[in-house]
């Protein structure tokens, strides 16, 4: 049992490390966006494109780390469920022995108490297993858009009220971000609180 508990602790620590790394990537993305804005202000399109590529790379890295943290947290949940199942199995063994003793004595009150305990434990197990299965099924992969570099450059230029050189003017207007990072962070927080 200590091996399983150690495994669970390591999984939780790994999840926290991945979340920290993801947050660092988000900070790096913001730094690159600031450098992008400065390069656009100076009219340096090549440098702006490099900073936009770096910002997109950091954004994708942060999302990938958050996805990985979510998956590791799901594995931790499975390990926790296995530990719970082991506990419930030993409790059920005790209940079965109690039922056997009660049957020998035919004490209906004692049989009723034992069966109520068994039912309660079984319902608790159902709730925990159902929650973990739902959480694991809830993980989804996120897709990336085409022309992310150009769209980010356009967005930063628009926010700063700047004009890009003529070769960048024909790009489409960027769409509002969907908020995928906050959704992943929220799901990860819910999973951590459940375990």
């Amino acid at each position: 049992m200590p091996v399983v508990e150690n495994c669970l602790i390591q999984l939780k620590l790994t999840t926290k490390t991945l979340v920290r790394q993801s947050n660092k990537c988000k900070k790096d993305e913001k730094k690159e966006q600031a450098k992008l804005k400065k390069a656009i202000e100076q009219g340096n399109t090549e440098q702006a494109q490099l900073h936009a590529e770096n910002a997109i790379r950091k954004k994708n890295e942060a999302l990938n780390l958050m996805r990985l943290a979510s998956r590791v947290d799901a594995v931790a949940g499975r390990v926790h469920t296995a530990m719970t199942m082991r506990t419930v199995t030993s409790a059920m063994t005790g209940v079965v022995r109690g039922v056997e003793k009660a049957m020998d004595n035919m004490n209906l009150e004692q049989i009723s108490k034992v069966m109520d305990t068994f039912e309660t434990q079984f319902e608790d197990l159902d709730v925990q297993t159902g929650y973990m299965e739902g959480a694991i099924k809830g993980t989804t992969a996120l897709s990336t858009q085409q022309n992310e570099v150009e769209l980010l450059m356009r967005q930063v230029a628009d926010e700063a009220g700047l004009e890009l050189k003529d070769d960048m003017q024909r790009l489409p207007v960027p769409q509002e971000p969907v908020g995928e990072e906050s959704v992943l962070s929220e799901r990860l927080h819910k999973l951590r609180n459940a375990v």
Side-chain angles (χ1 to χ4, degrees):
M1 188 81 155
V3 174
V4 176
E5 289 171 348
N6 288 339
C7 180
L8 183 61
I9 290 169
Q10 287 300 317
L11 287 170
K12 287 184 179 185
L13 289 174
T14 301
T15 300
K16 286 182 181 181
T17 301
L18 289 170
V19 169
R20 262 190 249 119
Q21 289 175 348
S22 176
N23 290 336
K24 183 184 181 307
C25 287
K26 289 176 188 176
K27 288 179 185 177
D28 291 346
E29 175 192 1
K30 291 188 189 309
K31 288 178 186 176
E32 288 295 328
Q33 286 180 353
K35 291 177 184 177
L36 168 63
K37 180 180 174 183
K38 186 176 179 181
I40 292 173
E41 288 172 347
Q42 294 173 350
N44 191 344
T45 305
E46 281 186 42
Q47 192 175 20
Q49 186 171 0
L50 289 174
H51 289 300
E53 288 173 1
N54 288 342
I56 296 297
R57 189 173 29 258
K58 288 296 181 180
K59 175 185 174 187
N60 289 337
E61 187 177 344
L63 286 173
N64 287 336
L65 287 168
M66 198 57 103
R67 279 188 207 113
L68 185 57
S70 178
R71 289 181 180 148
V72 170
D73 200 41
V75 171
R78 287 180 180 166
V79 170
H80 186 267
T81 300
M83 289 171 50
T84 304
M85 293 289 275
R86 189 176 289 175
T87 304
V88 169
T89 301
S90 64
M92 287 171 55
T93 303
V95 169
V96 169
R97 288 184 189 139
V99 169
E100 286 176 359
K101 286 182 182 178
M103 294 289 278
D104 289 343
N105 296 334
M106 289 306 285
N107 183 343
L108 293 178
E109 185 177 313
Q110 188 177 3
I111 292 173
S112 177
K113 285 181 184 178
V114 169
M115 293 308 292
D116 287 344
T117 304
F118 177 78
E119 250 183 80
T120 303
Q121 289 175 346
F122 191 74
E123 288 171 358
D124 290 348
L125 177 64
D126 263 355
V127 169
Q128 288 179 354
T129 304
Y131 178 78
M132 289 310 302
E133 286 174 1
I136 292 168
K137 288 179 185 176
T139 57
T140 59
L142 304 173
S143 61
T144 57
Q145 297 177 348
Q146 295 293 329
N147 302 323
E148 286 183 349
V149 172
E150 292 87 1
L151 290 175
L152 179 61
M153 290 175 66
R154 167 69 88 175
Q155 183 179 10
V156 170
D158 287 347
E159 288 173 0
L162 302 172
E163 293 291 324
L164 290 175
K165 291 189 177 180
D166 290 337
D167 60 334
M168 299 299 289
Q169 293 297 324
R170 54 188 151 76
L171 296 175
V173 177
Q175 300 171 349
E176 289 294 316
V178 180
E180 299 162 343
E181 297 156 357
S182 62
V183 171
L184 284 175
S185 295
E186 185 178 319
R187 284 184 22 212
L188 183 60
H189 180 70
K190 285 180 183 177
L191 281 173
R192 255 193 245 121
N193 287 340
V195 176

